[in-house]
Amino acid sequence: MAREEESSEVGELSGAEAGARPFAPGEMVACERCARANPPTRMGCLYCGAPLPVTERSARLRRPALRPPEEWETGFNVILLPRAAGAGAAGALGEAASLLRLETELLRECLTARRPLPLARAASREEAELVAERLAAFGLAVEVVTDEDLTLGTRPFRVRALELTPDVLVGLGPPGEEPRRWGWPEVGLLVTGRVIRKRVEVEERREKSRRDGEVVDARELSEDEAVLDIYPTGDDAAGWRVRGDNFDYSCLGAGKSLLARENFVSLVGLLRERAPRAVYDDEYASSRRLLAAAWPPAARDDTLGFRREGAGRYSTGAVTTVSNEAQFTRYSRLRYYFARRRGV
């Protein structure tokens, strides 16, 4: 669900204090870098972005901005733990949702899902810990997990084929890479999902005499592919990734079908049979809507450039690409992060 749009009005407060009077001059917090006054609800300066000093009053009133980190920044994820909520959690659900800028019903669904789910993603540890502290006061069990904890900078080992011996699972990667091997007792976690990619191309014809362009062509292409991440019981956070439409299913032997979709299901079943100690997680599909609040699908806009079509006339094109692959990777790594701790 979409987050509620954050207001930047100087006098805004969170929760029950929303709509209160503007702050008096003596209540404002001066930025140590630019010396400008800021509302005590802010964590960073409204003008220069520097962290604001914490006063006794502002410590109680500060409201996290929850600005999405840039691609090059380390994110700090506030994860809801699948434990029983505190006695006062139900009554404070609306306030907790307001703090997170979520719809109350979405937060309620996260609580009933009984699995680790991200509630917020912040650009700084200080902000994430503030969110965690406030949520804990509402009776919610949460933990701050960084992008580095999930080793998001490391790509999974792309498996193009598997060899299933009686004792060992062998992963064959791209040409030139050494095969990797795990004993069957070492296979600890299997996570399945579907990666969906959409590409929308729009072409417009424009004239110098007109402000708006005319859409002359629009195309939408989509891909839907089953994926499987395999993790060991030990430390290999990158894991192995099987892409259902680009995999050699020869390891299925006589059970190999003509359809990749059927072969993928058979492969997962065979791996579960050979590695009975492995935890199997197929809940990504049912979690996608809950994940999107903190981890939305990645979208990118590109231009196709300009093309002249005559005097004063030209066409231009734009491409929007949307993919949930990064979202699935985050979910998969999060499951492995907690599986290694054997607690969640």
Side-chain angles (χ1 to χ4, degrees):
M1 288 288 184
R3 293 185 181 280
E4 297 174 8
E5 198 172 46
E6 181 189 10
S7 171
S8 60
E9 292 181 4
V10 168
E12 184 182 26
L13 287 173
S14 63
E17 291 180 299
R21 61 171 177 79
F23 295 107
E27 297 175 311
M28 304 292 275
V29 178
C31 174
E32 295 178 339
R33 178 188 291 177
C34 67
R36 293 184 175 182
N38 287 265
T41 53
R42 294 192 61 85
M43 298 184 64
C45 179
L46 182 64
Y47 305 97
C48 69
L52 292 173
V54 182
T55 66
E56 182 177 349
R57 177 175 173 78
S58 68
R60 292 184 287 107
L61 296 179
R62 287 196 304 170
R63 178 183 174 89
L66 295 180
R67 173 185 66 81
E70 301 291 344
E71 290 186 8
W72 49 269
E73 290 181 298
T74 297
F76 297 83
N77 309 285
V78 181
I79 306 298
L80 177 68
L81 304 179
R83 301 174 189 165
L93 210 57
E95 293 183 74
S98 175
L99 175 75
L100 295 165
R101 298 171 181 82
L102 297 178
E103 292 186 4
T104 304
E105 188 55 36
L106 180 67
L107 180 56
R108 194 188 313 276
E109 289 184 45
C110 291
L111 284 170
T112 58
R114 289 298 193 182
R115 51 184 174 270
L117 291 170
L119 295 180
R121 187 162 184 258
S124 70
R125 181 179 294 277
E126 180 186 20
E127 187 174 29
E129 290 179 347
L130 172 64
V131 174
E133 178 184 335
R134 297 284 172 82
L135 293 178
F138 292 141
L140 302 181
V142 295
E143 179 178 331
V144 176
V145 178
T146 71
D147 288 351
E148 293 177 349
D149 293 330
L150 304 179
T151 60
L152 295 177
T154 304
R155 293 184 177 182
F157 176 64
R158 174 75 177 277
V159 178
R160 60 178 177 83
L162 290 172
E163 292 180 1
L164 283 62
T165 73
D167 301 317
V168 178
L169 174 65
V170 182
L172 305 176
E177 288 202 37
E178 288 292 324
R180 304 188 186 185
R181 296 172 173 82
W182 292 333
W184 288 111
E186 295 179 88
V187 180
L189 176 65
L190 306 173
V191 184
T192 60
R194 302 199 70 84
V195 170
I196 302 170
R197 306 177 189 87
K198 292 184 179 179
R199 177 184 171 93
V200 179
E201 300 179 4
V202 177
E203 184 178 349
E204 289 186 346
R205 181 176 294 122
R206 294 178 176 270
E207 298 182 10
K208 290 184 178 180
S209 58
R210 297 177 55 184
R211 176 175 299 180
D212 299 326
E214 175 189 4
V215 176
V216 294
D217 193 14
R219 296 176 295 277
E220 180 173 330
L221 306 173
S222 63
E223 299 177 10
D224 185 348
E225 182 179 28
V227 289
L228 164 68
D229 281 356
I230 309 173
Y231 296 97
T233 54
D235 188 9
D236 184 356
W240 300 359
R241 175 160 296 178
V242 173
R243 306 185 74 100
D245 294 344
N246 296 274
F247 184 77
D248 181 355
Y249 290 99
S250 298
C251 59
L252 297 178
K256 182 179 178 181
S257 165
L258 295 177
L259 301 178
R261 185 181 294 268
E262 294 178 358
N263 287 329
F264 183 85
V265 173
S266 298
L267 176 65
V268 172
L270 185 56
L271 291 174
R272 295 181 66 186
E273 180 183 324
R274 295 288 187 94
R277 295 173 53 187
V279 175
Y280 176 55
D281 185 314
D282 63 347
E283 296 178 330
Y284 170 72
S286 61
S287 302
R288 282 183 58 195
R289 189 170 59 86
L290 306 181
L291 295 169
W295 296 342
R300 188 181 70 187
D301 295 323
D302 295 301
T303 179
L304 296 177
F306 293 86
R307 185 176 61 197
R308 291 188 178 276
E309 296 188 348
R313 301 178 61 188
Y314 61 94
S315 64
T316 181
V319 178
T320 300
T321 306
V322 181
S323 171
N324 69 321
E325 184 167 9
Q327 183 191 68
F328 172 75
T329 298
R330 291 179 185 278
Y331 176 83
S332 178
R333 298 285 174 87
L334 183 68
R335 292 297 292 123
Y336 181 58
Y337 175 80
F338 284 113
R340 279 181 296 171
R341 291 167 37 173
R342 302 179 179 226
V344 181

